[in-house]
Amino acid sequence: MAAPPGRIVCFGEAMLRESAGVVTPGGAEFNVACALARIETSTAWVSVLPEQETIIESAAIEAGVYLELQRSSKDVGRYTVNLENKSVSYDRTESGFAHLNPRDFDWRTLLSGARWLVMSGITPLLGDGPRSAWGGALTFAELDGTLIAMDLNHRPGLGSIDALWEIIRPRMRMFNVLILSAESLSKIAVLEGINKPENYEENIEALAELRRRFLIPHLCCTFKRPETDGTQRRWSVVAHAFGLDSTEQDAIVHTPVEALGGGDAWLAGFLDALSEHGHGPISPLIGAMRGDLLAALSQRTAGDVSLVSREELDEFEEQRKWNRSENRTLTIR
């Protein structure tokens, strides 16, 4: 089956996730691919899986993801989520993805006709093979005019933020979208010699300064704040060539079933909005608002993978517009 043109290509590892005795699939780029496909955006996922079919593959097919897979004799990685102490432990060093052969990936063919390439800072820290394949994907995307969205997604268990930034920094000019967590933004600001952000306003100033320094079209940061009633307030800020767009005054209040997967859904919503407006003026604010909404909706169910449909997303976008007209905060329960 021919790969669909204009698709969003996601490259990265997927693993089996165990929480409270239930096993489900998960992985940053895999989550983005599934979330996009669920809202009817043409998406492909490039990765490595065992010869025998897994629930990872089945979940991607069910979501409508186009698969470009290399097969391995090795198993997939696993991670365990402990909801009580809010910890995650990983076992991925012997996975097929960690031991992939970068020569198995023909990036010119894999990216032919693609609109976006989605990757994260997880992949280059998984080993020499993944880092080489990650670099090859970036090179061919830049050469062929494929836009690149990078989620820094720093995982301390894989390496320090200093080590990851050393890999990411020389390639900053390649990215059309770069996403940072509030914590990573603060640490990178220090590494770049920007005054250490002491509060939220200084964090936003650091975001704007980093965008000016590296001229990234969209430098994004997502924020979450727990409320006293057990809910969570979610918003985001996008720095771009014309200034800053923030959804803080239009934040979404929700109660996550689990805290994982929201950032991946945010990226899916942001890219969906940019892709929708790809032939006219692009509004980063529209992307940020859709990202916030899809992230909140995705966390109504357990697991990392979003199950939100286009119909649900459209319905809540209309509800949010009405809430704004009435100066009300959208609350998702």
Side-chain angles (χ1 to χ4, degrees):
M1 183 174 64
R7 67 201 178 282
I8 298 177
V9 176
C10 304
F11 171 59
E13 183 182 30
M15 296 177 288
L16 292 177
R17 169 193 193 271
E18 183 175 350
S19 178
V22 178
V23 177
T24 55
E29 300 86 353
F30 174 83
N31 297 343
V32 175
C34 290
L36 283 165
R38 289 277 183 185
I39 58 174
E40 301 173 18
T41 297
S42 180
T43 311
W45 178 54
V46 181
S47 194
V48 178
L49 286 180
E51 294 288 348
Q52 65 276 16
E53 186 176 352
T54 66
I55 61 172
I56 295 171
E57 188 171 348
S58 301
I61 292 171
E62 182 183 354
V65 177
Y66 180 89
L67 297 176
E68 293 277 12
L69 300 174
Q70 294 296 326
R71 298 296 181 177
S72 173
S73 59
K74 292 182 175 292
D75 203 351
V76 295
R78 294 174 179 268
Y79 63 112
T80 303
V81 178
N82 188 315
L83 297 177
E84 290 186 3
N85 61 20
K86 299 180 180 180
S87 66
V88 183
S89 58
Y90 294 90
D91 179 12
R92 70 203 314 175
T93 56
E94 292 303 316
S95 72
F97 191 91
H99 292 270
L100 65 78
N101 184 345
R103 292 186 292 276
D104 289 339
F105 296 88
D106 178 1
W107 288 112
R108 176 141 285 162
T109 300
L110 291 168
L111 294 174
S112 177
R115 172 69 174 163
W116 286 92
L117 170 66
V118 174
M119 297 197 294
S120 78
I122 295 172
T123 302
L125 296 180
L126 292 178
D128 292 341
R131 180 172 176 178
S132 179
W134 180 86
L138 287 174
T139 298
F140 277 98
E142 185 180 40
L143 288 173
D144 291 348
T146 302
L147 299 175
I148 300 168
M150 181 68 60
D151 185 352
L152 189 73
N153 220 331
H154 175 237
R155 294 288 187 265
L158 294 175
S160 67
I161 188 75
D162 305 59
L164 178 57
W165 187 238
E166 188 175 339
I167 295 170
I168 294 290
R169 193 182 192 280
R171 299 180 181 271
M172 292 284 277
R173 63 181 174 79
M174 296 180 166
F175 307 145
N176 187 276
V177 173
L178 177 65
I179 301 174
L180 305 174
S181 67
E183 182 181 9
S184 291
L185 171 58
S186 295
K187 292 179 179 178
I188 289 170
V190 173
L191 292 174
E192 284 298 308
I194 300 171
N195 290 336
K196 184 177 180 180
E198 299 292 344
N199 52 46
Y200 173 71
E201 288 74 19
E202 290 182 358
N203 234 358
I204 302 307
E205 291 176 8
L207 187 74
E209 173 58 29
L210 285 171
R211 200 221 68 83
R212 285 192 293 269
R213 188 168 296 188
F214 294 103
L215 300 177
I216 297 173
H218 304 95
L219 183 57
C220 314
C221 191
T222 58
F223 297 90
K224 297 172 288 186
R225 185 178 70 208
E227 301 293 329
T228 55
D229 62 356
T231 61
Q232 175 177 274
R233 184 173 293 268
R234 174 184 288 276
W235 74 97
S236 52
V237 180
V238 181
H240 49 84
F242 301 100
L244 288 167
D245 280 325
S246 171
T247 63
E248 185 183 9
Q249 299 305 313
D250 195 25
I252 293 175
V253 174
H254 64 118
T255 307
V257 173
E258 291 185 4
L260 300 176
D264 304 324
W266 190 94
L267 176 53
F270 188 74
L271 292 183
D272 176 70
L274 295 195
S275 298
E276 179 181 313
H277 296 271
H279 299 290
I282 291 176
S283 169
L285 181 59
I286 291 175
M289 293 175 68
R290 186 166 298 173
D292 294 344
L293 183 55
L294 187 56
L297 291 173
S298 74
Q299 292 187 327
R300 293 179 303 169
T301 52
D304 286 14
V305 181
S306 172
L307 301 178
V308 181
S309 68
R310 171 60 69 178
E311 183 179 6
E312 290 175 295
L313 183 59
D314 289 346
E315 177 184 336
F316 275 92
E317 284 193 328
E318 287 301 315
Q319 183 177 334
R320 193 180 192 186
K321 288 178 184 177
W322 183 86
N323 279 31
R324 282 204 308 278
S325 70
E326 298 291 323
N327 292 318
R328 295 181 178 181
T329 298
L330 176 62
T331 301
I332 297 175
R333 302 193 185 278

